[in-house]
C-alpha cells in the first residue's frame, strides 16, 4: 500500500474517533430527551434524527454543502466567527459525519434509556439522588451496553461513509480523502490491486466490529 | 439535626407535642378515570396502614407523600416540617425529603452489589443526619450474609429485605412501603413480617404501609386509613376502625378485631398460655411466648358466638362476659354484633335466627364464646 493509502486510513480513523466522541456528547442528552419526553415535538425530532437512515447521502451532503457554504446560514455564522467556511475541510467532514451517523448513536441510546424505565429513577430519588446524580450513578451504568453499541455503530458507520464525504469534503489528500474515497480513486484509475487491499481491509474491519458487537449482546442475554 | 448518633434512635417521642409529631396530608388529584381526594392525619409514630381494594387510591396517596406524584394544591407536613404546601409555593422534590420508600417489586439497582445498594442512599445523607447506622440496618433485616452478592442472585424475599434495609440506612424521618409483600409467596411473606415487626418495635420512625391484605394490617398496623374509590372512608386507631359496623370491613367474611394483651401465665400440663386484656383471661394454645410480653391477638367475627349464661357445657375455652353495644342486620340471614369486653371491642357474627331467639339487643349482658384466637405477634 502506498503512503497515500496509509494517510487515508489515518484520516478515516481520526474522523471516526472525533465524530464518535462528538456524537456521544450530543447524542446522549438528545436520546435521553427522546426517551423521556411526552412532548409533541418527540415525533418530529425523532423523525429528523432518523432521516439519515433513509435519505441518499448525496441529499444530506448537498444540503450540508448549501448550509455550510459561504452563502448558507451556517456558513455566514462560521465566517462571522472567523472560522471561515467548512466545506472541503476536516471540520466540515466532521460536521457531515455527525449528522450522517446521528441515528446510529441516538437510537441505541434511546432504546437503552427506555428499557431502564421509570422505577430506578424513582428509587434513586427516594435515596436522595438528584436528577444529574441519578443520571451518572444509575442511568449510565444501567445503559452501558447501549453506550457500547452506540459508540461502535457510530464509529463503524462513519468509517463506512462515502457520499456525504464526497459532497462536502471533496478529495483533498490528508484533509478529506478518507479510505472510501481513496478506493473510488483507485478504481477510477484501474488500480484494482490497491482497491482490493483497502476494500478487503474495510470488509474485515466492519465484519469484526459487528461480530464483536453481536457476540457480546448474545453473551449478555444468556 | 441531632448530633449524637445513637441517642437519637431512641428519641422520646412522648415528650413532643401531638401536633409536631403528626403527619398531615391533603391531596386531591383528578386523572382520567381516577380521582383521589384525601385529607388525613396520621400519628407521628407507629405503623399507619393505608388499606383498600386496588384502585382505591392508596398507592397514589403514598406516592403523593413521597413527592413521586405531584398533586397540585396539595399539603403535607411531617413531624412539624412542611414538605409540600402549594398555596405557599413549597414543594420539596423527592430527593430532598428525608424519607425511605420500599416499592412493591424488587427495586434494587442491578448494577450494584447488595452492599453498594445499601450505601447508595446512606452516603448521600449528611454524616450529621445519620441516625441509623449501616450495621444496625443490616442487623435488623438479617442480611449480613448477602452483602457481597448481586441482586440477581437473591430470592424475592431477600431482595425485599435488602430494599427495606437500604431505605432504613438513609435514616428516614418517614418510612413508606407500597405493598412490600404483595409480590411474594406466603412463605416469603412469613419470612419478612417478623422483620417489619422489629422495625415497629425498635425504631422510632413512623411507617406508612400500603396493603390490601387484612392479615398484614392485623399484624402490623396501629392506625388504619380505609380508602375506597379515592376517598377516605374511615381513619383511626385499628382497635377503633376494625369493629365499626358501618364500615365494609366488619361485613367481610374474614372480619376481625385485634386485641392487645399481655402474656400472664403458662399452663404446662395442657400446653396453654393465658393472655390477659382489660382484666379478662384469653387462653391460647402453645407455650412459645415469654411471660410479661405484650402480644397482639386476632379474633375473627365468625369465631365468636353468644350465650346468655356462662355455664354452658362446651369445649370452648374462652367464655367471656361482654356487653352488647350495637347490632347490624345488613347482611341477609346474619346479625353482626359489636361487643365490649375488658375495655376492648369484639365482633360476633351469628345467624339472624339466633339473635332473635336469644333476644340480643344493645345494652344486654351476654357471654362471648371465642372459638379461635390467633396470636399475631
Amino acid at each position: 500500500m502506498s503512503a497515500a493509502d496509509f494517510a487515508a486510513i489515518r484520516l478515516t480513523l481520526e474522523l471516526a474517533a472525533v465524530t464518535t466522541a462528538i456524537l456521544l456528547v450530543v447524542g446522549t442528552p438528545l436520546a435521553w430527551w427522546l426517551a423521556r419526553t411526552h412532548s409533541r415535538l418527540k415525533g418530529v425530532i425523532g423523525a429528523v434524527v432518523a432521516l439519515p437512515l433513509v435519505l441518499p447521502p448525496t441529499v444530506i451532503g448537498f444540503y450540508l454543502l448549501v448550509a455550510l457554504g459561504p452563502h448558507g446560514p451556517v456558513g455566514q455564522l462560521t465566517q462571522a466567527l472567523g472560522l471561515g467556511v467548512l466545506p472541503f475541510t476536516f471540520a466540515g467532514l466532521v460536521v457531515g459525519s455527525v449528522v450522517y451517523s446521528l441515528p446510529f448513536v441516538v437510537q441505541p441510546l434511546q432504546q437503552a434509556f427506555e428499557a431502564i424505565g421509570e422505577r430506578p429513577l424513582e428509587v434513586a430519588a427516594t435515596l436522595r439522588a438528584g436528577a444529574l446524580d441519578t443520571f451518572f450513578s444509575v442511568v449510565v451504568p444501567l445503559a452501558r451496553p447501549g453506550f457500547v453499541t452506540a459508540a461502535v455503530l457510530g464509529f463503524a458507520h462513519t468509517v463506512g461513509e462515502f457520499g456525504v464525504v464526497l459532497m462536502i469534503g471533496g478529495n483533498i489528500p490528508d484533509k478529506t480523502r478518507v479510505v472510501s474515497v481513496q478506493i473510488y480513486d483507485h478504481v477510477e484509475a484501474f488500480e484494482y490491486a490497491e482497491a482490493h487491499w483497502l476494500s478487503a481491509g474495510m470488509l474485515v474491519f466492519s465484519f469484526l466490529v459487528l461480530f464483536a458487537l453481536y457476540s457480546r449482546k448474545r453473551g449478555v442475554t444468556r | 439535626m441531632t448530633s449524637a448518633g445513637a441517642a437519637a434512635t431512641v428519641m422520646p417521642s412522648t415528650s413532643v407535642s401531638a401536633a409536631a409529631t403528626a403527619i398531615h396530608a391533603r391531596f386531591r388529584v383528578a386523572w382520567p378515570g381516577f380521582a383521589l381526594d384525601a385529607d388525613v392525619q396520621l400519628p407521628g409514630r407507629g405503623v399507619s396502614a393505608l388499606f383498600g381494594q386496588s384502585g382505591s387510591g392508596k398507592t397514589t396517596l403514598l406516592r403523593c407523600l413521597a413527592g413521586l406524584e405531584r398533586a397540585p394544591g396539595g399539603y403535607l407536613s411531617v413531624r412539624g416540617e412542611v414538605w409540600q404546601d402549594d398555596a405557599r409555593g413549597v414543594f420539596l422534590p423527592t430527593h430532598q425529603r428525608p424519607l425511605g420508600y420500599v416499592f412493591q417489586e424488587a427495586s434494587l439497582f442491578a448494577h450494584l452489589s447488595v452492599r453498594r445498594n445499601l450505601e447508595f442512599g446512606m452516603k448521600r445523607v449528611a454524616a450529621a443526619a445519620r441516625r441509623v447506622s449501616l450495621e444496625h440496618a443490616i442487623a435488623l433485616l438479617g442480611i449480613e450474609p448477602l452483602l457481597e452478592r448481586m441482586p440477581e442472585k437473591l430470592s424475592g424475599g431477600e431482595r425485599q429485605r435488602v430494599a427495606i434495609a437500604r431505605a432504613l440506612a438513609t435514616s428516614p424521618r418517614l418510612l413508606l412501603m407500597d405493598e412490600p409483600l404483595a409480590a411474594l409467596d406466603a412463605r416469603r411473606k412469613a419470612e419478612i413480617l417478623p422483620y417489619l415487626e422489629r422495625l415497629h418495635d425498635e425504631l422510632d420512625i413512623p411507617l406508612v404501609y400500603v396493603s390490601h391484605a387484612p392479615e398484614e394490617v392485623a399484624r402490623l398496623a396501629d392506625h388504619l386509613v380505609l380508602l375506597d374509590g379515592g376517598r377516605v372512608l374511615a381513619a383511626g386507631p385499628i382497635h377503633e376502625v376494625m369493629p365499626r359496623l358501618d364500615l365494609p370491613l366488619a361485613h367481610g367474611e374474614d372480619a376481625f378485631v385485634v386485641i392487645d394483651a399481655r402474656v400472664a401465665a403458662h399452663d404446662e400440663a395442657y400446653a396453654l398460655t393465658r393472655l390477659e386484656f382489660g382484666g379478662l383471661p384469653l387462653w391460647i394454645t402453645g407455650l412459645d411466648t415469654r411471660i410479661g410480653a405484650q402480644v397482639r391477638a386476632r379474633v375473627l367475627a365468625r369465631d365468636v358466638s353468644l350465650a346468655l349464661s356462662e355455664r354452658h357445657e362446651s369445649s370452648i375455652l374462652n367464655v367471656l362476659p361482654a356487653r352488647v353495644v350495637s347490632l347490624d342486620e345488613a347482611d341477609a340471614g346474619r346479625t353482626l354484633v359489636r361487643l365490649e369486653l375488658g375495655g376492648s371491642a369484639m365482633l360476633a357474627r351469628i345467624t339472624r335466627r339466633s339473635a332473635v331467639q336469644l333476644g340480643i339487643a344493645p345494652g344486654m349482658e351476654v357471654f362471648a364464646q371465642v372459638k379461635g384466637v390467633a396470636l399475631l405477634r
Side-chain angles (χ1 to χ4, degrees):
Chain A
M1 283 198 294
S2 66
D5 289 342
F6 282 112
I9 291 171
R10 191 187 52 78
L11 187 69
T12 303
L13 295 177
E14 205 175 301
L15 174 67
V18 172
T19 301
T20 305
I22 291 175
L23 275 173
L24 286 176
V25 173
V26 175
T28 301
L30 182 56
W32 180 246
W33 181 82
L34 282 169
R36 306 274 307 155
T37 187
H38 299 291
S39 162
R40 278 186 302 172
L41 282 176
K42 177 178 177 168
V44 177
I45 304 293
V48 169
V49 168
L51 274 178
L53 293 174
V54 295
L55 280 178
T58 44
V59 172
I60 297 167
F62 173 61
Y63 281 119
L64 280 171
L65 193 59
V66 171
L68 300 179
H71 304 295
V74 181
Q76 302 270 339
L77 183 70
T78 52
Q79 282 172 305
L81 294 172
L83 299 169
V85 286
L86 297 180
F88 310 110
T89 66
F90 182 74
L93 218 52
V94 169
V95 172
S97 303
V98 163
V99 172
Y100 184 53
S101 296
L102 190 62
F104 290 84
V105 170
V106 170
Q107 290 186 350
L109 287 179
Q110 185 183 341
Q111 280 161 20
F113 293 154
E114 282 168 354
I116 290 173
E118 192 76 22
R119 188 45 47 84
L121 311 181
E122 293 188 343
V123 172
T126 67
L127 294 170
R128 312 288 196 281
L132 209 60
D133 183 359
T134 298
F135 186 79
F136 287 107
S137 56
V138 176
V139 174
V140 170
L142 288 178
R144 215 174 62 104
F147 277 98
V148 174
T149 304
V152 169
L153 286 182
F155 189 93
H157 188 249
T158 303
V159 167
E161 75 177 83
F162 174 68
V164 175
V165 173
L166 210 59
M167 292 293 284
I168 65 164
N171 190 358
I172 305 165
D174 288 327
K175 278 173 74 181
T176 65
R177 187 187 285 166
V178 295
V179 173
S180 58
V181 177
Q182 180 77 351
I183 293 169
Y184 183 75
D185 280 356
H186 282 313
V187 174
E188 289 284 277
F190 296 106
E191 296 162 356
Y192 279 25
E194 289 81 352
H196 265 308
W197 274 111
L198 288 178
S199 298
M202 286 281 266
L203 186 68
V204 170
F205 166 77
S206 302
F207 172 77
L208 287 179
V209 163
L210 294 179
F211 178 69
L213 194 61
Y214 290 120
S215 314
R216 183 190 59 95
K217 269 191 165 171
R218 210 169 19 157
V220 167
T221 50
R222 212 174 247 167
Chain B
M1 296 294 160
T2 46
S3 53
T9 49
V10 286
M11 214 162 32
S13 56
T14 43
S15 63
V16 189
S17 80
T21 58
I23 298 158
H24 182 197
R26 194 176 63 236
F27 294 113
R28 194 171 292 173
V29 297
W31 295 326
F34 175 78
L36 172 72
D37 187 354
D39 187 343
V40 287
Q41 305 258 7
L42 304 174
R45 59 172 310 151
V47 178
S48 297
L50 305 182
F51 183 70
Q53 304 289 315
S54 57
S56 60
K58 52 195 191 305
T59 292
T60 305
L61 178 53
L62 196 76
R63 290 174 59 83
C64 285
L65 292 176
L68 292 171
E69 221 67 73
R70 178 79 194 257
Y75 177 87
L76 171 64
S77 66
V78 175
R79 292 174 140 186
E81 286 174 19
V82 176
W83 289 4
Q84 180 175 354
D85 185 358
D86 285 325
R88 292 193 298 129
V90 177
F91 181 83
L92 280 189
T94 301
H95 72 275
Q96 289 175 8
R97 300 183 181 199
L99 55 82
Y101 199 107
V102 179
F103 291 86
Q104 183 172 338
E105 76 292 335
S107 56
L108 301 182
F109 294 125
H111 63 295
L112 298 177
S113 67
V114 167
R115 182 188 294 281
R116 303 223 9 233
N117 262 285
L118 293 172
E119 289 167 351
F120 188 98
M122 192 204 65
K123 69 185 187 191
R124 285 169 171 80
V125 173
R130 291 180 197 158
R131 287 163 299 162
V132 180
S133 69
L134 199 57
E135 293 70 33
H136 191 194
I138 289 167
L140 264 176
L141 275 301
I143 53 172
E144 177 75 43
L146 312 177
L147 290 178
E148 305 313 322
R149 292 207 221 155
M150 294 304 282
E152 67 200 30
K153 303 283 184 202
L154 304 181
S155 73
E158 288 169 340
R159 280 179 210 173
Q160 226 33 333
R161 273 155 62 198
V162 174
I164 294 167
R166 183 177 65 175
L168 279 182
T170 64
S171 305
R173 291 174 57 81
L174 174 64
L175 203 48
L176 305 171
M177 296 195 189
D178 184 8
E179 308 209 38
L181 308 184
L184 305 175
D185 60 35
R187 255 196 38 224
R188 303 285 180 213
K189 275 186 189 141
E191 165 195 325
I192 293 191
L193 274 166
Y195 292 106
L196 291 176
E197 285 163 12
R198 278 173 80 176
L199 302 188
H200 178 270
D201 297 341
E202 293 185 25
L203 296 177
D204 176 39
I205 302 172
L207 166 60
V208 181
Y209 188 99
V210 162
S211 181
H212 69 269
E215 63 275 16
E216 286 171 27
V217 170
R219 278 184 71 159
L220 295 173
D222 305 305
H223 194 86
L224 194 59
V225 177
L226 191 61
L227 287 156
D228 185 49
R231 293 183 164 273
V232 176
L233 226 47
I238 187 165
H239 306 93
E240 291 174 18
V241 176
M242 292 310 298
R244 272 178 59 177
L245 298 182
D246 59 329
L247 297 174
L249 283 174
H251 297 268
E253 193 56 35
D254 297 318
F256 62 86
V257 294
V258 293
I259 288 172
D260 287 326
R262 193 178 58 85
V263 179
H266 288 151
D267 180 341
E268 309 274 347
Y270 290 109
L272 290 171
T273 296
R274 193 179 86 232
L275 309 178
E276 267 184 21
F277 71 102
L280 294 174
L282 199 58
W283 289 94
I284 58 168
T285 53
L287 293 166
D288 45 357
T289 44
R290 185 176 51 80
I291 293 192
Q294 285 292 327
V295 294
R296 174 179 279 192
R298 180 183 62 183
V299 178
L300 292 168
R302 65 162 185 259
D303 284 345
V304 179
S305 56
L306 302 180
L308 296 184
S309 69
E310 188 175 10
R311 302 192 62 79
H312 213 75
E313 301 288 312
S314 148
S315 65
I316 292 171
L317 273 180
N318 293 302
V319 180
L320 303 168
R323 190 171 55 82
V324 174
V325 177
S326 52
L327 305 176
D328 185 287
E329 303 186 331
D331 307 319
R334 288 166 169 177
T335 296
L336 204 54
V337 183
R338 178 175 175 156
L339 306 167
E340 202 214 276
L341 62 169
S344 294
M346 200 177 270
L347 292 174
R349 198 173 68 204
I350 57 177
T351 62
R352 176 82 52 85
R353 194 169 108 174
S354 306
V356 170
Q357 283 180 348
L358 294 175
I360 303 293
M364 204 174 155
E365 300 291 335
V366 294
F367 288 90
Q369 299 175 317
V370 182
K371 275 171 280 191
V373 180
L375 198 61
L376 298 171
R377 65 171 198 229

